[in-house]
Amino acid sequence: MARIWPFTLRHITGRRAAGQRIGGGMIDRERPLAFRFNGELLHGYAGDTLASALLANGHLTLGRSAVYRRPRGLDATVLIERDGKVTSVRANEQELYDGLVARRAVSIFPWIKTAVADPGEVEHVHDHTDVLIIGSGPKGLRRAVLAAESRADVMLIERDFEPGGRLLYEAGSYSGLEAADWRAQMITHLKAQPNVRLYPRTTAIAEDGRASVLLEERVQDHLPEIDPALPVRRLRYIRTAKTELATGQEEIGFVFQNNDLPGIFDLKTALSLVRRYAVQPGERIVLYGNDEIIYALVPSLIEAGVPITAIVDPRPMVPARCHQLARSAGIPLYPGHCIVAARGRHYLSRLILRKTGDDPLQRDIHLDCDALIQSATIIEEQPPVPAKGRGKCFADPEKETLWSPDSPAYSLLGRPHPLDGEVIVPAEKLPALRIGSIKSAQERAGAVFRTQGDWHLATAFPAADEEEGAAAEREALAVRSGAGLGDISLLGKIDVQGPDAAAFLARLFGEGWAELPVGRLRHGILSREEGQALAGVLGWRLAPHHYCLTTAAPSQAVVLSRLQEGASEEERIAVTDITDGWGAVALEGPAAPAILAGSFPALAQESSLPAMGFVTFEQDELPLRLARLSLSGGAGYEIMTPAGYTDILWNLLREKGKSRGLIPVGTRARNILRIEAGHIGPAEMIAGATAAGLGIGSTSSPDHKKEKQLVGLKPVSGAEEGKDIARLNAGMTLYEGDGTPPGGPGIGTVTSACHSPTLGHDIALALLTEGRARTGTLIRAVGEGGKPVIDVKVGPPRHLDLQKERADA
């Protein structure tokens, strides 16, 4: 009888031995808290985050990344269950409370479905202040005090639940006081000022416009039970005269194999664990840095009883005082060495070192460790040659951006030696992001949001267990058979008025603006000096000397700049950006006219509104500007209203359209409809074609037939054999279909592509040399690197022939 060896099935937990607490810290040991993670009962203390409490209990791998399903540590996204609802949050931002129940958000297996997080009730608040200060570290506190003393209205925000920034974990003195005492004194002083408002648990998301900042406040993340009287989140739209960022410098990491493994910490995280949360990062710690700030950490770790296995310094010439510090502490120092790889199944267990520079032997040094604390001030353009074996190198582990030779190189941060005084680093820049005025209504409708350019947009409205792409195709089909409602508030809107407005617009966009009747629209193309199209606009003539121009969001800045710079001092015109002042929706589909008639009885019958015509009216104190035009090529309308009324308009149309099958549609569905109808978008504008090549206007150039022209493409490869056809994608290069191997620049480029649910196959728009003359011919679309190669047939840009409503487009 064969012997069966006993074995133990190890659960994939990424857990180390418990007992990682050390002395000190800012946690309240008199207030123990019980919580659960993945069903296991654990304990922490008041002042902990979920991440620090889990690490103190031996849990290091807290989840998986969404893209590559790689193990994630303290910054993993987890799901919090409360009162039957599930919310999503980062473990290192979740404040621990008694009875907290959490679990991993992403499974190692992509086919295992996880619970969908509920964003909860969102409250929108509009506010204003003289000075908005983002970050409550020493720099932010000082600026807040100075601004308050000048009698300015001050708003100080902090994403943490405790204000203080690096004062929460750094040692040192400020104005003769210990960092902790100075922090407490400053915060007490600010709270006593009537003109200062302090908002913890609040994150500055982005700049929204020129003088507005969007903030997100986590109102109930720290409460054991949901308070029905409070929103879960609060979005604050702050108008401010001055915004000051005091958030400090983002930590930079080194690039090496598996540099995203749990157990690899940046300096700020490691200091917070030791000094604030009293948690030991590991039992065998390696320090890795290329400046002396990493050496300043040694005395603090030794004092806290944290063991240091080694120090790795990639600089070929390490200062003598660094050698002396390592020698006196009994820590092995590896000068002139770099880490080329990290190893470990679920978390860090070993590092591979290699000598920098020319080493003919290229010997690898293996260090057993369970924690790496790194701090980089300068990273070379090329990382060291990686060690042999499997592993990914990430340029940005958090966003799962893989490193490649084309990745931008880090530059010198220029921060002074920490022993010379307070370390002052440049503040990070707040990204620009625009939020539509009906975002909360779209959230309630189940929208999935993505950042596109400067805007946070609803891309689709998936049903339960429906993929985003499938939802977009369903929405596009619904528009073709019924009706769809989309948010187009992101359109750039520019007001142009004055006695010389018509002549000014004719000079920039071509003739015909003076003859345009009031209440009608026309297309215009802004061109470069060489003749290539730069941006498209739609002009609305509101009055004899008053126009409104709408343009795609990516083109708004360049159109506004050209208008402002193109006006001479003699011309009597005024150009104003009114994008933020107006919201807009698109109502499209065969049922759109009936929905419109039921929604606005004050409006005349649809037949009285000609194609490319608009009317301004008011119903029940709701001001409206309604135009008959459509991106989808069928029946459709665009309706504008002042931004504060957009949600009223959206809700009115949805309510009146229920009986006729009206559904909300996202940007992905609208892009499918655009490509099916053959309409040009920003992708076609930036490809270098002229207005004639895009099919707008005419040209007197004798060579215009040889220019790149807009065409439609559909794949034919393998269709007759019933084989699967490779996907058409934007960016593919087009080549002749004469059988010669593809090479060189080609004869055109695919600008936009999608799968058409109406036609049942992929379609694309492309700019093709002598494109109209090639109608009906076969050419080849070739992907990057020569694959895939797809035979495609050239046709007109319009893939669907919607005869009845063609004029509306």
Side-chain angles (χ1 to χ4, degrees):
M1 181 176 178
R3 181 176 181 181
I4 301 176
W5 292 93
F7 66 93
T8 301
L9 180 63
R10 184 177 8 174
H11 184 57
I12 302 176
T13 61
R15 183 172 184 178
R16 304 187 300 202
Q20 303 290 323
R21 286 287 185 190
I22 56 178
M26 298 179 61
I27 56 174
D28 187 353
R29 300 176 192 268
E30 299 297 323
R31 293 176 56 199
L33 305 175
F35 68 101
R36 289 186 179 273
F37 181 69
N38 285 341
E40 182 182 3
L41 180 63
L42 302 169
H43 295 85
Y45 296 99
D48 263 323
T49 62
L50 175 60
S52 65
L54 284 171
L55 182 58
N57 283 274
H59 285 275
L60 185 57
T61 302
L62 308 186
R64 294 277 170 173
S65 64
V67 178
Y68 297 108
R69 308 283 164 164
R70 293 173 68 84
R72 282 292 175 260
L74 305 188
D75 60 346
T77 299
V78 297
L79 299 178
I80 306 296
E81 300 177 10
R82 229 177 3 168
D83 296 346
K85 296 185 177 181
V86 177
T87 56
S88 174
V89 68
R90 287 186 180 273
N92 56 358
E93 294 181 356
Q94 175 60 52
E95 185 176 352
L96 192 67
Y97 57 79
D98 198 41
L100 183 146
V101 178
R103 54 191 169 93
R104 292 187 177 91
V106 180
S107 167
I108 188 175
F109 304 112
W111 58 85
I112 296 180
K113 297 291 185 180
T114 56
V116 178
D118 180 5
E121 183 68 26
V122 180
E123 181 181 72
H124 295 259
V125 175
H126 293 264
D127 205 345
H128 61 86
T129 186
D130 296 327
V131 182
L132 174 65
I133 300 175
I134 303 171
S136 64
K139 183 179 177 182
L141 293 176
R142 285 195 183 108
R143 290 187 174 182
V145 169
L146 291 174
E149 291 175 349
S150 67
R151 299 182 182 276
D153 184 34
V154 180
M155 186 179 292
L156 177 63
I157 70 165
E158 172 57 55
R159 68 184 303 169
D160 202 335
F161 57 88
E162 285 286 353
R166 71 168 187 265
L167 295 170
L168 297 171
Y169 57 81
E170 275 195 356
S173 62
Y174 294 84
S175 303
L177 296 175
E178 291 295 324
D181 296 333
W182 185 82
R183 164 186 166 273
Q185 185 183 86
M186 295 290 279
I187 293 173
T188 301
H189 175 70
L190 288 171
K191 287 182 176 179
Q193 305 301 310
N195 56 331
V196 176
R197 289 173 285 172
L198 176 60
Y199 291 109
R201 304 182 185 91
T202 303
T203 303
I205 298 177
E207 294 177 336
D208 184 12
R210 288 191 295 270
S212 181
V213 177
L214 176 62
L215 310 178
E216 181 183 41
E217 182 182 359
R218 304 181 300 278
V219 181
Q220 300 202 50
D221 282 4
H222 60 294
L223 301 180
E225 297 180 356
I226 295 178
D227 186 343
L230 294 175
V232 174
R233 291 185 299 141
R234 183 178 289 124
L235 289 178
R236 295 184 180 272
Y237 302 83
I238 308 299
R239 300 288 295 182
T240 175
K242 185 178 182 181
T243 301
E244 297 191 17
L245 274 75
T247 52
Q249 177 64 47
E250 183 179 357
E251 292 286 340
I252 292 178
F254 292 92
V255 177
F256 51 86
Q257 270 188 13
N258 298 317
N259 60 336
D260 66 329
L261 276 177
I264 299 177
F265 306 100
D266 58 54
L267 184 65
K268 179 176 70 174
T269 301
L271 283 170
S272 295
L273 288 172
V274 173
R275 293 178 176 162
R276 180 179 177 183
Y277 302 116
V279 178
Q280 183 173 306
E283 297 178 346
R284 303 184 309 277
I285 298 174
V286 172
L287 305 183
Y288 186 28
N290 55 10
D291 73 345
E292 297 183 37
I293 196 169
I294 199 72
Y295 293 87
L297 180 62
V298 172
S300 299
L301 292 179
I302 293 176
E303 182 181 353
V306 178
I308 303 174
T309 298
I311 302 175
V312 182
D313 193 326
R315 295 177 295 178
M317 299 296 294
V318 177
R321 56 181 171 182
C322 296
H323 281 277
Q324 183 178 358
L325 176 64
R327 192 180 305 114
S328 63
I331 303 171
L333 173 63
Y334 292 86
H337 284 73
C338 58
I339 296 175
V340 295
R343 295 287 182 257
R345 186 177 181 185
H346 305 302
Y347 50 80
L348 179 66
S349 62
R350 180 162 43 96
L351 294 170
I352 301 177
L353 279 57
R354 187 174 295 172
K355 192 172 180 61
T356 57
D358 296 328
D359 183 4
L361 298 179
Q362 284 296 324
R363 292 164 295 187
D364 289 343
I365 300 174
H366 293 247
L367 287 179
D368 290 334
C369 63
D370 60 359
L372 172 69
I373 301 174
Q374 59 174 338
S375 174
T377 54
I378 184 172
I379 302 259
E380 301 297 334
E381 293 190 13
Q382 303 289 338
V385 178
K388 294 181 181 180
R390 299 178 62 184
K392 298 181 183 294
C393 297
F394 288 91
D396 187 342
E398 181 178 338
K399 298 179 181 178
E400 292 198 273
T401 304
L402 293 175
W403 179 88
S404 70
D406 299 326
S407 297
Y410 290 106
S411 59
L412 184 65
L413 297 181
R415 56 186 180 190
H417 187 275
L419 302 181
D420 296 337
E422 182 185 354
V423 180
I424 300 176
V425 296
E428 58 183 332
K429 184 179 179 181
L430 193 65
L433 188 67
R434 314 290 286 274
I435 303 295
S437 53
I438 56 175
K439 182 175 185 291
S440 59
Q442 291 176 318
E443 284 179 333
R444 290 192 294 270
V448 173
F449 291 87
R450 298 283 184 268
T451 300
Q452 301 176 26
D454 292 344
W455 285 84
H456 197 53
L457 303 174
T459 56
F461 295 80
D465 298 328
E466 186 180 31
E467 297 292 337
E468 187 176 323
E473 293 186 9
R474 172 180 54 79
E475 293 165 14
L477 282 174
V479 172
R480 294 293 180 210
S481 60
L485 184 65
D487 179 19
I488 55 173
S489 300
L490 72 160
L491 288 175
K493 309 169 195 73
I494 303 170
D495 186 86
V496 181
Q497 54 182 304
D500 298 326
F504 172 65
L505 294 175
R507 179 160 55 84
L508 290 181
F509 300 103
E511 298 298 328
W513 292 84
E515 293 76 23
L516 182 68
V518 173
R520 300 299 295 271
L521 303 97
R522 66 165 294 140
H523 289 289
I525 293 289
L526 185 65
S527 300
R528 298 181 176 89
E529 294 181 359
E530 299 82 7
Q532 292 92 351
L534 186 61
V537 300
L538 187 65
W540 308 52
R541 192 164 195 180
L542 306 175
H545 303 308
H546 190 185
Y547 296 81
C548 175
L549 305 182
T550 57
T551 184
S555 306
Q556 189 267 348
V558 67
V559 172
L560 179 63
S561 176
R562 183 68 68 89
L563 288 169
Q564 292 174 336
E565 295 173 359
S568 65
E569 295 182 358
E570 293 78 18
E571 286 179 307
R572 297 166 297 171
I573 58 171
V575 177
T576 308
D577 179 15
I578 59 172
T579 300
D580 293 333
W582 288 80
V585 299
L587 176 65
E588 297 176 298
I595 295 173
L596 196 70
S599 302
F600 306 117
L603 187 65
Q605 292 297 318
E606 182 242 338
S607 58
S608 66
L609 186 63
M612 296 293 285
F614 71 92
V615 61
T616 300
F617 67 103
E618 185 175 300
Q619 178 174 298
D620 298 329
E621 300 183 353
L622 177 64
L624 299 164
R625 186 181 296 163
L626 183 145
R628 184 181 167 193
L629 74 153
S630 172
L631 182 78
S632 65
Y637 304 87
E638 291 188 2
I639 313 171
M640 297 174 60
T641 188
Y645 295 89
T646 317
D647 57 342
I648 300 176
L649 174 62
W650 172 274
N651 293 331
L652 171 65
L653 291 171
R654 287 206 65 193
E655 180 64 29
K656 297 296 183 181
K658 275 183 181 179
S659 61
R660 298 186 180 273
L662 176 70
I663 68 168
V665 298
T667 57
R668 289 187 63 166
R670 287 182 53 77
N671 192 51
I672 292 173
L673 298 169
R674 174 187 74 84
I675 298 173
E676 289 178 341
H679 279 268
I680 60 174
E684 286 69 44
M685 283 292 177
I686 65 176
T690 62
L694 293 171
I696 301 176
S698 59
T699 180
S700 58
S701 171
D703 298 326
H704 75 276
K705 292 184 179 180
K706 298 182 179 179
E707 296 175 350
K708 289 185 176 181
Q709 298 169 342
L710 185 68
V711 298
L713 303 176
K714 66 176 183 179
V716 297
S717 300
E720 63 283 357
E721 297 90 358
K723 298 178 181 177
D724 290 336
I725 302 174
R727 298 300 305 269
L728 275 173
N729 290 299
M732 282 182 154
T733 305
L734 302 175
Y735 295 94
E736 298 283 4
D738 54 7
T740 58
I747 58 174
T749 306
V750 176
T751 54
S752 301
C754 71
H755 180 267
S756 169
T758 305
L759 298 174
H761 57 73
D762 283 5
I763 57 175
L765 297 178
L767 287 173
L768 180 64
T769 302
E770 300 180 345
R772 297 185 189 115
R774 298 175 185 268
T775 300
T777 64
L778 297 181
I779 60 175
R780 286 174 296 172
V782 182
E784 186 178 357
K787 291 183 180 180
V789 178
I790 308 172
D791 291 334
V792 293
K793 187 174 183 179
V794 180
R798 179 183 289 272
H799 293 87
L800 295 178
D801 189 13
L802 306 171
Q803 298 177 356
K804 178 179 181 296
E805 295 293 343
R806 179 175 295 183
D808 288 20

